[in-house]
Amino acid sequence: MDLYDLFFYLSLGAGFLMAFNLGANDVANSMASAVGARAITVRQAVFIAGILNFVGAVFLGSHVTATISKGIINAQYITDPKIIMIGMFAALLSAALWVLVATLTALPVSSTHSIVGGILGFGLVAGGPSVVNWLKMGGIVLSWIISPFFAATIAYLIFTHIRRTIFFRREFIKQAQKWGPIWMGLTIFLIALSFLYKTPIGKKLHLPWSISLLIALALATFVWALGNYFVKKIVTDKLEGAEGVELIFRRLQVGTSCYVALSQGANDVANAIGPVAAIYLISKQHMLLAKAEIPTYILVLGGLGIAVGITVLGHKVMATVGEKITTLTNTRGFAVDFGAASTVLAASNLGLPVSTTHAAVGAVVGVGLARGFSAVDFKVLGRIVVYWVLTVPIAALTSIIIFQILKWIIY
């Protein structure tokens, strides 16, 4: 076994650890609003997220190509393939260790930013500041502000609208039966556009914007018509209290949670297996390309890691995001899901860098603020923000230390 093979096998272990953390932290926080609002139990969330993330990762995931360096460094300036291989391994391991620390302390962090920090660290040491794309790094810093504020604003407006049009009216079951199907249609509209523009399989269709819009509108109208029929079956007694309204939105939340789990597996698995694919490519061809085909068995490894991660440690981050920042009901949880999903979709299409983790937390804070400042636990929020800011520097520093130790051993 030569050095290249050795690092490839080691990277499989590090990739599994990163996928494990992805499941335990990233995936868990996206299911948190449904668990916090009691739409599903922790056990059901683990079951849904485990299976749908695995399916999303293996069958809808980035199985054709994955962007390897995420545009953070220009690997062409580093001529020795061994240096890039060691660096990618150091980046993967440092990101996995940081997300594990965050998960064990029950705080949500962005796995994308962890990998970015790791790649930045080894890039600085291996090639100097000139190999780093500082404009891209500026965008990452900007995303700490964009994602949570966008999502918080949208979630705040949606929950305020639900309160004004349903809870503040006299016949709120009748109002919920009127507005429930409209929100169902809007949710499907968002999911359809998100599927076409955010998942690798949707992007491969290369549909023009007008056709995508027509497909989304047709699906939304169909679901709105179905909703009008089924919502009346969910709550038959018009004198039923607020619990009847929550029951309607509970069904909606189960649907949005399933979609989030599926799309997250498809989109985020590359964070864990992208560096593994880079090392695989270098071990076989002794060079690194900007994009690489990922073998299916590495995708399966990533999918399994995500499923095991959410099963073993997912409950920790779910409890923080779903219960400790503010109290969630089904209507608030729905506003959170809708706010986070629409932020990620809109900002991505505008070319703005966003983090699903930051959007989900921002949306939870938004619905909390709709009930006043006292409804939000700012101590918990402060700890989360500190971890967000520390993610890139800590992952970068750890990556530098691991990279230098490995370089010292090998050279």
Side-chain angles (χ1 to χ4, degrees):
M1 184 188 294
D2 63 12
L3 189 69
Y4 290 103
D5 288 334
L6 175 67
F7 264 90
F8 173 59
Y9 292 123
L10 286 174
S11 74
L12 287 178
F16 183 83
L17 180 64
M18 186 62 194
F20 175 91
N21 291 312
L22 197 71
N25 198 301
D26 260 31
V27 176
N29 82 59
S30 65
M31 302 295 287
S33 63
V35 173
R38 308 283 186 269
I40 49 176
T41 63
V42 172
R43 189 173 291 183
Q44 287 168 332
V46 165
F47 185 73
I48 291 169
I51 290 180
L52 291 182
N53 264 277
F54 182 82
V55 170
V58 177
F59 297 104
L60 302 177
S62 316
H63 57 283
V64 181
T65 57
T67 306
I68 299 303
S69 73
K70 292 190 172 292
I72 297 302
I73 59 162
N74 191 343
Q76 286 175 340
Y77 292 131
I78 306 169
T79 50
D80 187 348
K82 273 187 200 166
I83 290 288
I84 300 176
M85 182 176 69
I86 298 168
M88 281 295 173
F89 179 76
L92 187 60
L93 198 57
S94 65
L97 289 174
W98 169 244
V99 183
L100 181 63
V101 168
T103 305
L104 291 174
T105 48
L107 292 173
V109 294
S110 166
S111 61
T112 308
H113 291 185
S114 305
I115 280 287
V116 162
I119 293 173
L120 170 75
F122 105 80
L124 276 173
V125 175
S130 59
V131 302
V132 178
N133 184 344
W134 292 107
L135 196 65
K136 184 93 175 178
M137 280 308 303
I140 298 285
V141 173
L142 205 61
S143 79
W144 295 338
I145 302 163
I146 294 171
S147 318
F149 277 90
F150 261 42
T153 306
I154 296 172
Y156 176 92
L157 292 174
I158 290 169
F159 182 59
T160 303
H161 182 269
I162 290 172
R163 286 211 298 182
R164 283 185 183 166
T165 54
I166 298 175
F167 287 118
F168 291 173
R169 298 295 180 92
R170 281 186 181 174
E171 297 176 307
F172 46 68
I173 292 294
K174 190 179 171 186
Q175 288 295 111
Q177 287 174 339
K178 174 188 166 188
W179 282 100
I182 294 173
W183 282 116
M184 285 178 186
L186 283 171
T187 304
I188 291 298
F189 181 75
L190 186 72
I191 286 176
L193 283 183
S194 179
F195 184 84
L196 291 171
Y197 284 96
K198 284 291 291 173
T199 61
I201 201 166
K203 286 176 186 172
K204 277 199 324 186
L205 295 173
H206 299 295
L207 291 176
W209 172 248
S210 54
I211 300 291
S212 302
L213 207 61
L214 277 176
I215 292 172
L217 275 173
L219 283 171
T221 308
F222 177 69
V223 169
W224 169 77
L226 273 182
N228 266 314
Y229 174 75
F230 282 109
V231 161
K232 285 170 187 161
K233 300 269 181 191
I234 294 171
V235 183
T236 51
D237 185 1
K238 290 192 178 178
L239 296 176
E240 199 169 337
E243 183 53 35
V245 178
E246 297 295 339
L247 188 61
I248 292 170
F249 281 87
R250 194 176 302 160
R251 303 290 165 88
L252 263 173
Q253 256 207 299
V254 174
T256 51
S257 298
C258 288
Y259 171 72
V260 167
L262 193 70
S263 66
Q264 203 155 28
N267 290 311
D268 291 354
V269 71
N271 282 339
I273 57 168
V276 181
I279 295 167
Y280 167 78
L281 200 70
I282 295 168
S283 72
K284 298 295 172 197
Q285 300 183 14
H286 295 194
M287 63 182 291
L288 178 68
L289 302 174
K291 290 188 172 184
E293 289 198 7
I294 301 177
T296 306
Y297 70 89
I298 299 181
L299 275 169
V300 171
L301 183 81
L304 274 176
I306 291 174
V308 175
I310 193 167
T311 306
V312 177
L313 289 179
H315 61 279
K316 282 179 172 283
V317 174
M318 272 189 221
T320 302
V321 179
E323 295 169 9
K324 291 183 182 170
I325 299 173
T326 192
T327 307
L328 292 177
T329 58
N330 297 117
T331 43
R332 293 172 204 159
F334 170 75
V336 168
D337 287 344
F338 199 95
S342 47
T343 297
V344 172
L345 179 66
S348 299
N349 285 330
L350 289 171
L352 300 171
V354 285
S355 155
T356 310
T357 302
H358 297 182
V361 172
V364 170
V365 175
V367 294
L369 288 176
R371 294 181 298 124
F373 281 90
S374 59
V376 178
D377 189 332
F378 285 98
K379 277 187 183 173
V380 175
L381 186 62
R383 287 180 62 208
I384 291 171
V385 172
V386 168
Y387 267 59
W388 287 357
V389 175
L390 288 177
T391 292
V392 171
I394 285 188
L397 187 64
T398 314
S399 173
I400 289 170
I401 294 169
I402 296 170
F403 175 71
Q404 292 290 49
I405 291 172
L406 290 172
K407 199 176 156 194
W408 178 72
I409 293 170
I410 291 167
Y411 283 88

